[in-house]
Amino acid sequence: MSSDMVLRYSEINSAWISYFGDAPCSILGENFFPDISAARRTLHRAGLRLARVNQHHYRIIAQ
């Protein structure tokens, strides 16, 4: 199990979902994002940013 915070795209939910390890986690009360821009806005307010791993997976890191 990974202890990284990540953002993954879920084709089933048609949304980006934030995870800590393998468990969904919330960022400022949100963990489902309709698009990558919405995720970036919330992460920015929390002092976080995204680092792209691949098309459907980003690491969440401190700014």
Side-chain angles (χ1 to χ4, degrees), residues 28-62:
L28 298 178
E30 299 180 52
N31 75 321
F32 279 79
F33 304 94
D35 55 51
I36 199 72
S37 295
R40 287 184 194 278
R41 284 190 300 273
T42 300
L43 291 166
H44 180 73
R45 288 194 316 265
L48 303 168
R49 66 182 182 89
L50 294 173
R52 185 178 175 153
V53 175
N54 63 41
Q55 179 181 353
H56 296 281
H57 187 163
Y58 289 80
R59 283 183 29 241
I60 299 172
I61 57 178

Side-chain angles (χ1 to χ4, degrees), residues 15-36:
W16 290 89
I17 303 172
S18 54
Y19 291 87
F20 183 73
D22 294 330
C25 68
S26 66
I27 300 164
L28 298 178
E30 299 180 52
N31 75 321
F32 279 79
F33 304 94
D35 55 51
I36 199 72

